[in-house]
C-alpha cells in the first residue's frame, strides 16, 4: 500500500472552478433528456462577471452594463514571456486565462493558456471536463496524445503525434491527454485555447492518488489490480493503469458532442449541421493534426487591408467537427489592419505574439440606442476578448514594424463577415436605393464604393 499512498505526481495543475453545466431553464424544459456540457450561450453582447455579487448562477452574474469598461475585456497577461518550470516536478507551467482572471469571458465559452515545458518536461495526463482544447507550438517540439473512452470493442485507443513549431493539434472534450517535450536540452512552449470560460482540469494522478480525504486503499487496490503488481513496477505501468481506469469516466454526462469525436466526412452526400462523421475505425491521428506553419510569417502584400488571416477551421482540420473551436494566425503589415468584421458563430480571444495592436469592438444597440466602442492598445503577450457577433477590428499602428497575433474562436467554423465586403461587394450588389438611404449618402458615392475591388484577407 506504500505505492498507493505515496505515488503523487505533483505539478501545477489546470486550476478549475467547478460550475454546473447546462443551458437556460427554458432549454432544460425543452430538452430535458439531453444534458448539455457546453457553456451557456450569451443572450446579450456581453455579461462581464460580477465576482462580488452574492447571487449564485451558472458562471457569474453580470455587472451593470453602464459600469463595464474596456479593461473588463483586457489583461496584461505576459503570454509572450517564458514561465518558471523549475517548481514543478512535471517540468511544466500552465498560465491559464479563464473567467477567474478575465471577467469579460463570462458566458462567452472560451479561454486561453500558455504552457511552458522544461527539457523533458510534460503537462501530465489530464482532462478538461468542460472543454475541447486546440494547441499550437510556438517554441520547440512536443510529443502529444489523447486516449479514447471505451469504444464498442472495449478499446481505449491512443492517438499520438510529434508536433513542431507552428503545428496545430486538437484534444477532444473530456478525454485524457498530455503533452511532452522530448528534448534533452531545449525548452518548449505552446499557446492553447479551450472551448469554455472555465474549462476545469483533472490531473489524473493527483485526483486518484492525492485526493483529500484519500480514496480507500481497498478501492484503489482492486481498481488497479495491485495484487498482481511487484512493488518495483515502473511508474509508466502505473500510468497505463490510470489511463485505463479514468478513460471510462472521462465523460460523466451525455455531452454535446455525443461521442469522443466526429471527424468530418467531407465526401459524404449526407447533409447535416456541420459534417457527418467518418467511420471511427477509419479515423487516425492525422485527422487531428495539421502542419499549419503558424510559426511562419504570411504574405500581407496582396491584401489592400495589409493583413493575412490563416484560419484553421473544420474545412482544413477534419477533427474539429462538433468540437466547437478553431484557431488563426493573423499577420499585419506596418499600418495594416484586420478590418471591421464579425464572426456570427464565435467569440474570439486573441494574444499578441509580435508588435503592437490597436483593437476594438462595438456593442449592438443598447437600451439608449448607443453603439459603444471599446478600444485598447495591446502589447506583446496581452490578451483581448471580442464577444460573439459584435463588429471588431485589429490595427497595427507602427509605421515600420509588422505585428502577429494568435486568435482562437469558439466555433469549428466561426464565419467572418467583413463589413465593407459584405455591404458594398456582395453578389449581386445591394440596391443603390437601400445603401444610399442606409448610409445617408448619394447614389454616386454608393456606386463608387461598389466599383472597388473587394477582396478577402483570409487564407
Amino acid at each position: 500500500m506504500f505505492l498507493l499512498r505515496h505515488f503523487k505526481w505533483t505539478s501545477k495543475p489546470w486550476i478549475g472552478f467547478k460550475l454546473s453545466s447546462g443551458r437556460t431553464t427554458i432549454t432544460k424544459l425543452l430538452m430535458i433528456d439531453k444534458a448539455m456540457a457546453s457553456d451557456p450561450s450569451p443572450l446579450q453582447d456581453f455579461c462581464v462577471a460580477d465576482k462580488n455579487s452574492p447571487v449564485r448562477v451558472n458562471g457569474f452574474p453580470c455587472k451593470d452594463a453602464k459600469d463595464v469598461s474596456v479593461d473588463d475585456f483586457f489583461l496584461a497577461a505576459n503570454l509572450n514571456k517564458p514561465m518558471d518550470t523549475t517548481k514543478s516536478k512535471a517540468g511544466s507551467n500552465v498560465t491559464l486565462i479563464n473567467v477567474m482572471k478575465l471577467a469579460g469571458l463570462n458566458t462567452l465559452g472560451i479561454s486561453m493558456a500558455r504552457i511552458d515545458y522544461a527539457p523533458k518536461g510534460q503537462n501530465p495526463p489530464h482532462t478538461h471536463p468542460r472543454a475541447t482544447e486546440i494547441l499550437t507550438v510556438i517554441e520547440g517540439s512536443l510529443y502529444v496524445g489523447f486516449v479514447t473512452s471505451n469504444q464498442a470493442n472495449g478499446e481505449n485507443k491512443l492517438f499520438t503525434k510529434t508536433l513542431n513549431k507552428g503545428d496545430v493539434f486538437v484534444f477532444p472534450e473530456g478525454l485524457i491527454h498530455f503533452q511532452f517535450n522530448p528534448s534533452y536540452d531545449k525548452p518548449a512552449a505552446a499557446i492553447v485555447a479551450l472551448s469554455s470560460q472555465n474549462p476545469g482540469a483533472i490531473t489524473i494522478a493527483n485526483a486518484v492518488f492525492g485526493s483529500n480525504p484519500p480514496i480507500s486503499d481497498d478501492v484503489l487496490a482492486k481498481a488497479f489490480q495491485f495484487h498482481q503488481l511487484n512493488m518495483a513496477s515502473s511508474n509508466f505501468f502505473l500510468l497505463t493503469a490510470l489511463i485505463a481506469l479514468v478513460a471510462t469516466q472521462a465523460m460523466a454526462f451525455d455531452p454535446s458532442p455525443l461521442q469522443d469525436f466526429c471527424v468530418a466526412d467531407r465526401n459524404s452526400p449526407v447533409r447535416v449541421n456541420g459534417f457527418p462523421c467518418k467511420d471511427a475505425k477509419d479515423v487516425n491521428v492525422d485527422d487531428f493534426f495539421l502542419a499549419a506553419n503558424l510559426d511562419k510569417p504570411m504574405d500581407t502584400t496582396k491584401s489592400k487591408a495589409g493583413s493575412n488571416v490563416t484560419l484553421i477551421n473544420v474545412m482544413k482540420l477534419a477533427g474539429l467537427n462538433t468540437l466547437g473551436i478553431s484557431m488563426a494566425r493573423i499577420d499585419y503589415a506596418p499600418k495594416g489592419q484586420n478590418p471591421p468584421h464579425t464572426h456570427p458563430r464565435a467569440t474570439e480571444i486573441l494574444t499578441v505574439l509580435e508588435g503592437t495592436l490597436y483593437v476594438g469592438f462595438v456593442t449592438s444597440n443598447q437600451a439608449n440606442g448607443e453603439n459603444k466602442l471599446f478600444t485598447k492598445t495591446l502589447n506583446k503577450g496581452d490578451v483581448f476578448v471580442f464577444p460573439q457577433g459584435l463588429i471588431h477590428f485589429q490595427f497595427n499602428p507602427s509605421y515600420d514594424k509588422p505585428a502577429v497575433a494568435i486568435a482562437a474562436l469558439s466555433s469549428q467554423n466561426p464565419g467572418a463577415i467583413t463589413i465593407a465586403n459584405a455591404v458594398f461587394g456582395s453578389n449581386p450588389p445591394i440596391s443603390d436605393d437601400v445603401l444610399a438611404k442606409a448610409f445617408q449618402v448619394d447614389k454616386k458615392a454608393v456606386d463608387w464604393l461598389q466599383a472597388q475591388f473587394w477582396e478577402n484577407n483570409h487564407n
Side-chain angles (χ1 to χ4, degrees), residues 360-373:
F361 67 85
V362 184
T363 64
S364 62
N365 287 348
Q366 304 294 302
N368 59 3
E370 182 181 59
N371 295 112
K372 188 172 181 181
L373 172 64

Side-chain angles (χ1 to χ4, degrees), residues 62-366:
C62 311
K63 282 175 65 173
D64 191 319
K66 72 177 185 294
D67 297 327
V68 172
S69 74
V70 71
D71 285 335
D72 288 311
F73 302 91
F74 168 80
L75 187 66
N78 294 320
L79 293 195
N80 59 309
K81 294 179 180 170
M83 302 296 175
D84 183 12
T85 58
T86 62
K87 296 177 181 177
S88 163
K89 289 184 178 179
S92 63
N93 190 323
V94 179
T95 306
L96 177 62
I97 311 300
N98 66 0
V99 71
M100 305 304 294
K101 293 184 180 178
L102 185 53
L105 286 172
N106 194 43
T107 76
L108 296 183
I110 201 164
S111 54
M112 180 176 272
R114 174 189 172 115
I115 314 176
D116 290 85
Y117 312 83
K120 290 292 177 181
Q122 68 166 267
N123 192 14
H126 60 283
T127 72
H128 302 299
R130 294 179 291 279
T132 290
E133 177 181 341
I134 186 170
L135 173 149
T136 188
V137 180
I138 59 174
E139 292 296 336
S141 296
L142 290 175
Y143 174 72
V144 306
F146 67 84
V147 184
T148 64
S149 63
N150 284 347
Q151 304 295 302
N153 60 2
E155 181 181 60
N156 295 112
K157 188 172 181 181
L158 173 64
F159 290 82
T160 63
K161 191 78 178 179
T162 298
L163 309 183
N164 296 310
K165 192 174 178 181
D167 290 344
V168 171
F169 199 83
V170 178
F171 304 98
E173 180 174 336
L175 299 189
I176 294 174
H177 60 284
F178 62 87
Q179 304 104 33
F180 170 69
N181 178 8
S183 174
Y184 284 92
D185 56 359
K186 295 178 181 177
I191 295 288
V192 307
L194 302 109
S195 59
S196 170
Q197 68 183 48
N198 196 24
I202 302 169
T203 302
I204 307 308
N206 291 12
V208 175
F209 293 104
S211 65
N212 184 14
I215 299 172
S216 159
D217 282 359
D218 293 328
V219 171
L220 294 177
K222 189 172 181 65
F224 292 102
Q225 298 293 293
F226 277 111
H227 63 276
Q228 298 175 6
L229 284 177
N230 185 300
M231 294 305 287
S233 295
S234 69
N235 286 344
F236 176 80
F237 193 97
L238 179 59
L239 180 59
T240 303
L242 275 167
I243 290 174
L245 172 73
V246 184
T248 65
Q249 300 173 352
M251 297 296 195
F253 35 69
D254 185 14
S256 178
L258 297 177
Q259 57 269 326
D260 289 346
F261 44 70
C262 172
V263 172
D265 181 356
R266 292 192 284 253
N267 298 318
S268 172
V270 178
R271 295 292 177 264
V272 299
N273 185 30
F275 292 95
C277 311
K278 282 175 65 173
D279 191 320
K281 71 176 184 296
D282 297 327
V283 172
N284 63 56
V285 71
D286 286 332
D287 288 312
F288 303 91
F289 168 79
L290 186 66
N293 295 319
L294 293 194
D295 59 313
K296 293 185 170 66
M298 301 296 175
D299 183 10
T300 58
T301 61
K302 296 178 182 177
S303 163
K304 287 185 178 180
S307 62
N308 192 321
V309 179
T310 306
L311 177 63
I312 311 300
N313 65 3
V314 70
M315 305 305 294
K316 294 184 179 178
L317 186 52
L320 286 172
N321 193 42
T322 76
L323 297 183
I325 201 164
S326 53
M327 180 175 273
R329 173 188 169 117
I330 314 172
D331 290 80
Y332 311 83
K335 290 292 177 180
Q337 68 166 270
N338 193 12
H341 62 283
T342 72
H343 302 296
R345 293 179 293 277
T347 289
E348 177 180 345
I349 186 170
L350 174 147
T351 188
V352 180
L353 295 186
E354 295 294 339
T356 299
L357 289 176
Y358 174 72
V359 306
F361 67 85
V362 184
T363 64
S364 62
N365 287 348
Q366 304 294 302

Side-chain angles (χ1 to χ4, degrees), residues 302 304 421 424-425 448-456:
K302 296 178 182 177
K304 287 185 178 180
N421 293 17
F424 294 106
W448 184 87
L449 286 164
Q450 289 181 325
Q452 303 309 302
F453 176 67
W454 301 104
E455 43 84 65
N456 189 355

